[in-house]
């Protein structure tokens, strides 16, 4: 295999996480609870799509087989996607979307801080730019967890349900094989702090669902790709 | 309880050295949300480096009916303007 | 345009007559407007002016918001990452436009919630153009090129409209609109120079969007009773037919430049007028779509109502939380 396989997969994981979550968030456009929130979610989605483009272009460069970000995004099937299971989970209601964003952005921020100081300069350059964006996403999502957790009875139970849906996908983020295990303690502390502000309990530990990093996804990803890749599949070779 | 989010007026400082200027308004449930909404709505194209948000209800405005009383008395105080004064030709730096 | 003469049901019954206004105040107001002075929220204004403005600005806002739906329909299917980001940013801008306009209308004493209510109940109208479906990717090109193109043509003069908050919103909107039309035309350029399938897609989109785009300028001037007063009040700065003609004149060469055919057999350059003659618009269809008989009018209405109703618990939660917080702070 030409290029550096480890670095290739590293960039691919980062790119796929951002791509899939960006795609999910863009589904909200035009349908959010309030106009101001609509614009906010679109901003986060745009940040993620930008990160995805950078990381996937880098992956293609490292691979050196002539694939760019678009080729990687639109012409791979599920088994070759390396995103975590968390980001592909459906939007559900606003609380479920916020739960996903809260868990992911807090993790992604810690990870990206490390990447921003990585020895590989192309990777660290992308990381340094992304980390500022992600810090905002994490703050935005955490604040909403507090509003919903400490809002009405209904919002509280929806927030609990949202976290409950997402919680089984947390362990995968810290899989020792990906080298992110060291981030767990700080992540736990952050999550605990926000949940306590929200008067919510930390969800009970449960058996983690894994497999995303090996291409073994939930059923949701196939449908997401069906929609996202439709044009490139229906009109192979055309430029847009 | 009224669940409509109140209106906030948004002021944006385009760059340091300039004052904050009114940009528009947003609806937000709390101050932090108002700042973020202002950021997401009014600085998407690098329009600002600093934001103020003020609850619209906190703004006290002058009444247009008073416009003449408030502002016209300044009109005849021409001596406040440098052009009011005659200086001999050829005198410089004044 | 986004607003032109789409009367809401209450308009006639409102029966606002200028005869009821204080003649002295009215004369002073008319003089100010005629002198191109701006009217600001707390200034005296005739009730009919206020009502007309609320109707026009809120219809404009609704059009921006409902307008997010046909294009939003393609965000998740955009053909590459660049197009996806552009489209998302574009549709997001439209949401921003709706927001600025609702805020401008709120300065006239109507809340955003009241306006949204009126939209959902069908009492308030929005531009007929958004009641047509987006079938292929080329529709995204056609909308940016034609629909935003028509919108810009209408909105540029509104930057000098007499009501200050509306004019300021339009200034911001026009600044943001400038990339919308270009990205749409760029999509069409690529398609028109692409594979036979892409060319077909592009031509088909132009065929479907051309006439509805011309209808965006509203009924012809002789069937547009409010135009004269609106122009006098600087709520509108040019007539429907003037704007429509200008749109045809600028757009036809753009179609020709990329080898697309405008679907109008009567279209012909008129040397004497220095303008294009063009075919008769199907006004039957226009009024049917205004009445809510557009192919996807129901879909649009349902989507908006659903987003609003599904979001109710979120809005309530945030308000309750803010209240709890304020009480806690007060207790400390
Ligand atoms: Fe628009
Ligand atoms: Fe717009
Ligand atoms: Fe636009």
């Amino acid at each position: 295999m030409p290029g550096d396989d480890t670095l290739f997969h590293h960039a691919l994981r980062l790119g796929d996480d951002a791509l899939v979550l960006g795609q999910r968030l863009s589904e909200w456009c035009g349908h959010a609870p309030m106009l101001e929130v609509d614009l906010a979610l679109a901003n986060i989605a745009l940040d993620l799509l930008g990160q995805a483009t950078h990381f996937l272009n880098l992956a293609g460069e490292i691979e050196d087989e002539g694939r760019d970000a678009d080729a990687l995004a639109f012409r791979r099937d599920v088994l070759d996607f390396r995103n975590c299971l968390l980001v592909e989970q459906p939007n559900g209601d606003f609380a479920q979307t916020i739960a996903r964003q809260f868990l992911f952005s807090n993790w992604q921020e810690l990870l990206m801080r490390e990447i921003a100081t990585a020895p590989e300069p192309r990777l660290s350059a992308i990381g340094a730019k992304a980390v500022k964006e992600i810090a905002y996403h994490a703050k935005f999502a955490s604040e909403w967890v507090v509003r919903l957790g400490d809002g009405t009875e209904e919002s509280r139970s929806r927030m609990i349900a949202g976290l409950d849906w997402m919680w089984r996908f947390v362990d995968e983020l810290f899989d020792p094989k990906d080298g992110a295990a060291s981030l767990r303690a700080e992540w736990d502390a952050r999550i605990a702090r926000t949940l306590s502000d929200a008067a919510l309990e930390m969800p009970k530990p449960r058996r983690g669902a894994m497999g995303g990093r090996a291409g073994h996804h939930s059923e949701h990803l196939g449908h997401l790709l069906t929609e996202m890749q439709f044009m490139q599949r229906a009109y192979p070779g055309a430029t847009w | 309880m009224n669940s409509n989010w109140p209106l906030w007026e948004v002021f944006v400082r385009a760059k340091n050295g300039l004052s904050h200027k009114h940009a528009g308004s947003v609806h937000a449930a709390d101050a932090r949300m108002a700042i973020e909404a202002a950021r997401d709505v009014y600085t998407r194209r690098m329009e600002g480096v600093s934001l103020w948000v003020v609850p619209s209800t906190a703004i006290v405005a002058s009444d247009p009916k008073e416009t003449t009383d408030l502002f016209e008395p300044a009109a005849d105080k021409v001596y406040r303007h440098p052009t009011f004064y005659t200086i001999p030709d050829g005198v410089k730096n004044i | 345009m986004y607003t032109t003469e789409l009367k809401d049901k209450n308009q006639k019954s409102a029966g606002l007559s200028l005869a009821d206004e204080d003649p002295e105040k009215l004369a002073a107001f008319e003089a100010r407007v005629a002198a191109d002075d701006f009217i600001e929220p707390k200034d005296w204004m005739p009730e009919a002016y206020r009502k007309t403005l609320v109707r026009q600005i809120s219809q404009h806002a609704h059009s921006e918001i409902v307008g997010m739906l046909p294009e939003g329909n393609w965000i998740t299917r955009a053909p590459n990452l660049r197009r996806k980001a552009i489209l998302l940013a574009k549709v997001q801008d439209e949401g921003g436009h709706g927001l600025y306009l609702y805020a401008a209308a709120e300065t006239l004493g109507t809340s955003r919630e009241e306006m949204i209510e009126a939209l959902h109940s069908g009492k308030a109208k929005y531009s007929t153009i958004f009641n047509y479906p987006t079938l292929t990717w080329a529709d995204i090109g056609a909308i940016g090129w034609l629909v935003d193109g028509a919108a810009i043509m209408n909105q540029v003069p509104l930057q000098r409209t007499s009501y200050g908050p509306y004019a300021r919103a339009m200034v911001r909107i026009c600044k943001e609109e400038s990339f919308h039309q270009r990205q749409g035309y760029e999509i069409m350029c690529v398609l028109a120079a692409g594979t036979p399938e892409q060319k077909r897609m592009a031509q088909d989109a132009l065929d479907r969007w051309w006439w509805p785009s011309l209808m965006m300028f509203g009924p012809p001037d002789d069937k547009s009773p409010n135009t004269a007063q609106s122009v006098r009040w600087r709520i509108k700065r040019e007539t429907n037919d003037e704007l429509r003609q200008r749109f045809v004149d600028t757009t036809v060469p753009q179609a020709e430049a990329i080898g697309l055919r405008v679907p109008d057999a009567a279209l012909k350059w008129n040397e004497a007028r220095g303008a294009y003659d063009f075919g008769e618009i199907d006004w039957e269809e226009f009024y049917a779509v205004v009445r809510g008989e557009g192919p996807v009018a129901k879909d649009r209405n349902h989507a908006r109502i659903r987003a609003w109703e599904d979001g109710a618990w979120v809005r309530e939660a945030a308000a309750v939380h803010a209240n709890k917080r304020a009480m806690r702070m007060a207790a400390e």
Side-chain angles (χ1 to χ4, degrees):
Chain A
M1 145 108 32
D4 179 340
D5 186 47
T6 325
L7 190 56
F8 169 70
H9 279 108
H10 194 37
L12 206 56
R13 280 198 297 271
L14 295 166
D16 286 350
D17 281 349
L19 173 64
V20 171
L21 188 54
Q23 172 78 2
R24 275 286 182 243
L25 285 175
S26 75
E27 293 169 15
W28 272 105
C29 186
H31 308 276
M34 188 78 174
L35 261 180
E36 282 80 354
V37 178
D38 212 303
L39 270 74
L41 295 177
N43 268 350
I44 299 177
L46 283 167
D47 286 343
L48 289 164
L49 288 173
Q51 293 167 18
T53 307
H54 292 308
F55 281 125
L56 292 179
N57 273 329
L58 176 59
E61 219 175 274
I62 293 159
E63 185 191 42
D64 200 21
E65 284 180 0
R67 294 201 284 183
D68 62 2
D70 282 329
L72 288 166
F74 294 94
R75 294 203 294 276
R76 276 179 301 155
D77 199 358
V78 245
L79 289 178
D80 292 321
F81 267 79
R82 289 290 177 273
N83 61 280
C84 60
L85 299 173
L86 177 64
V87 291
E88 69 198 42
Q89 295 310 305
N91 286 342
D93 62 9
F94 185 67
Q96 187 168 313
T97 290
I98 288 297
R100 185 183 62 201
Q101 200 67 45
F102 168 61
L103 302 178
F104 179 78
S105 294
N106 274 294
W107 171 80
Q108 198 199 17
E109 185 186 348
L110 299 178
L111 180 72
M112 210 57 72
R113 266 196 219 155
E114 286 195 344
I115 287 170
T117 59
E120 159 60 44
R122 291 170 296 178
L123 204 59
S124 59
I126 304 171
K129 181 180 169 288
V131 77
K132 295 171 214 149
E133 299 169 346
I134 302 163
Y136 182 77
H137 307 168
K139 220 181 274 168
F140 176 87
S142 303
E143 288 159 8
W144 268 109
V145 168
V146 174
R147 288 188 193 104
L148 298 180
D150 185 27
T152 60
E153 269 312 306
E154 179 179 8
S155 70
R156 181 183 159 77
S157 60
R158 284 177 184 268
M159 197 61 241
I160 291 170
L163 287 165
D164 184 61
W165 182 283
M166 299 298 169
W167 200 256
R168 67 206 137 117
F169 306 112
V170 165
D171 284 352
E172 188 187 33
L173 303 176
F174 302 99
D175 190 337
K177 286 201 293 287
D178 307 327
S182 61
L183 305 175
R184 182 83 201 224
E186 194 178 349
W187 184 86
D188 277 338
R190 278 173 162 234
I191 298 302
R193 211 178 311 129
T194 300
L195 291 183
S196 131
D197 287 348
L200 293 170
E201 276 170 34
M202 199 80 165
K204 303 260 173 308
R206 68 203 67 179
R207 188 162 178 274
M210 317 280 270
R213 304 301 190 194
H216 294 152
H217 293 274
S218 65
E219 289 175 351
H220 303 294
L221 186 63
H223 292 283
L224 180 144
L225 295 182
T226 303
E227 193 171 336
M228 185 175 80
Q229 298 179 337
F230 162 70
M231 291 296 287
Q232 299 248 0
R233 301 291 188 189
Y235 304 96
T239 46
W240 305 94
Chain B
M1 180 197 152
N2 184 358
S3 65
N4 294 337
W5 298 350
L7 197 64
W8 303 71
E9 298 307 318
V10 177
F11 299 82
V12 180
R13 186 201 295 288
K15 57 179 186 193
N16 283 349
L18 298 179
S19 52
H20 287 77
K21 189 168 169 257
H22 186 241
S25 12
V26 292
H27 282 276
D30 55 64
R32 177 69 200 163
M33 196 196 286
I35 284 282
E36 288 175 359
R39 178 254 192 199
D40 285 323
V41 173
Y42 292 102
T43 67
R44 278 174 292 139
R45 287 174 168 81
M46 302 184 302
E47 291 97 330
V49 296
S50 162
L51 287 168
W52 288 350
V53 292
V54 181
S56 304
T57 50
I59 291 188
V60 182
S62 62
D63 186 337
K65 281 195 225 92
E66 293 182 291
T67 299
T68 47
D69 306 1
L70 290 176
F71 307 113
E72 268 177 28
D76 65 352
K77 314 291 192 294
V78 279
Y79 42 78
R80 287 198 173 108
H81 301 278
T83 45
F84 179 69
Y85 302 92
T86 342
I87 302 289
D89 289 349
V91 175
K92 286 186 184 135
N93 298 325
I94 182 160
Chain C
M1 145 80 19
Y2 273 13
T3 53
T4 321
E5 323 306 320
L6 306 183
K7 288 191 200 105
D8 62 50
K9 282 172 195 153
N10 279 355
Q11 197 194 345
K12 272 189 218 114
S13 56
L16 293 163
S17 162
L18 289 178
D20 299 338
E21 303 285 0
D22 176 337
E24 215 170 290
K25 283 181 177 163
L26 183 61
F29 169 87
E30 299 263 7
R32 276 181 68 190
V33 171
D36 272 335
D37 194 1
F38 287 106
I39 304 300
E40 294 294 345
K42 300 185 97 188
D43 290 344
W44 185 90
M45 59 186 86
E47 266 318 290
Y49 176 83
R50 182 187 300 275
K51 282 265 156 72
T52 309
L53 269 176
V54 169
R55 191 180 73 238
Q56 176 167 330
I57 301 173
S58 67
Q59 281 179 1
H60 193 159
H62 298 329
S63 299
E64 301 282 358
I65 301 310
V66 176
M68 296 171 81
L69 299 170
E71 289 181 287
N73 184 34
W74 278 91
I75 293 171
T76 56
R77 289 179 292 169
N80 59 40
L81 292 169
R82 177 172 174 268
R83 293 286 176 210
K84 190 187 288 292
I86 292 170
L87 182 57
L88 178 53
K90 196 261 186 196
V91 179
Q92 181 196 42
D93 271 357
E94 305 301 4
H97 298 171
L99 196 156
Y100 311 149
L101 288 162
Y102 282 131
E106 281 181 274
T107 62
L108 292 159
T110 313
S111 73
R112 189 195 290 182
E113 289 74 21
E114 286 173 294
M115 291 184 268
I116 288 175
E117 255 351 53
L119 171 69
H120 293 174
S121 71
K123 224 176 85 186
K125 301 291 182 200
Y126 55 88
S127 177
T128 52
I129 193 83
F130 301 117
N131 285 336
Y132 293 89
T134 48
L135 304 181
T136 71
W137 172 250
D139 291 28
I140 300 310
I143 290 183
W145 173 32
L146 303 173
V147 176
D148 287 87
I152 291 166
M153 207 145 270
N154 182 63
Q155 290 170 353
V156 164
L158 285 178
Q159 294 177 97
R160 289 280 310 148
T161 190
S162 62
Y163 188 56
Y166 190 24
R168 290 190 286 276
M170 292 318 305
V171 168
R172 185 172 279 275
I173 288 172
C174 285
K175 219 183 281 165
E176 299 188 356
E177 283 290 348
S178 55
F179 96 82
H180 294 184
Q181 190 186 17
R182 291 179 74 110
Q183 64 85 34
Y185 189 60
E186 191 191 79
I187 290 174
M188 294 304 262
C189 292
V190 173
L191 295 178
T195 65
E197 285 164 311
Q198 287 177 306
K199 284 184 186 150
R200 176 182 166 214
M201 203 184 271
Q203 184 60 53
D204 176 73
L206 176 56
D207 289 348
R208 280 182 290 111
W209 290 94
W210 176 256
W211 291 105
S213 298
L214 295 193
M215 292 177 197
M216 282 175 74
F217 296 94
D221 293 347
D222 53 11
K223 299 239 168 47
S224 181
N226 294 337
T227 292
Q229 181 166 71
S230 283
V231 169
R232 197 178 77 234
W233 277 348
R234 309 287 202 265
I235 290 174
K236 217 163 140 170
R237 308 229 35 160
E238 276 164 286
T239 72
N240 299 351
D241 287 336
E242 283 165 2
L243 290 164
R244 185 166 17 242
Q245 181 70 55
R246 187 172 321 139
F247 177 76
V248 171
D249 292 344
T250 45
T251 311
V252 169
Q254 293 166 355
E256 282 168 355
I258 55 175
L260 294 177
R261 179 180 25 80
V262 173
D264 179 357
L267 187 76
K268 213 173 125 234
W269 178 253
N270 182 327
E271 196 62 60
R273 285 205 306 129
Y276 281 95
D277 293 335
F278 55 96
E280 188 58 35
I281 289 169
D282 181 355
W283 293 113
E284 265 312 296
E285 158 143 352
F286 172 77
Y287 288 110
V289 178
V290 169
R291 286 194 304 271
E293 293 166 25
V296 293
K298 271 212 161 23
D299 307 55
R300 302 287 183 247
N301 192 239
H302 282 194
R304 280 317 312 158
I305 291 176
R306 211 177 119 189
W308 186 248
E309 287 179 353
D310 285 356
W313 69 269
V314 178
R315 296 190 300 275
E316 192 196 355
V320 168
H321 175 74
N323 199 37
K324 280 187 191 176
R325 253 220 173 124
M327 307 247 280
R328 263 179 243 147
M329 290 256 276
E332 265 166 31

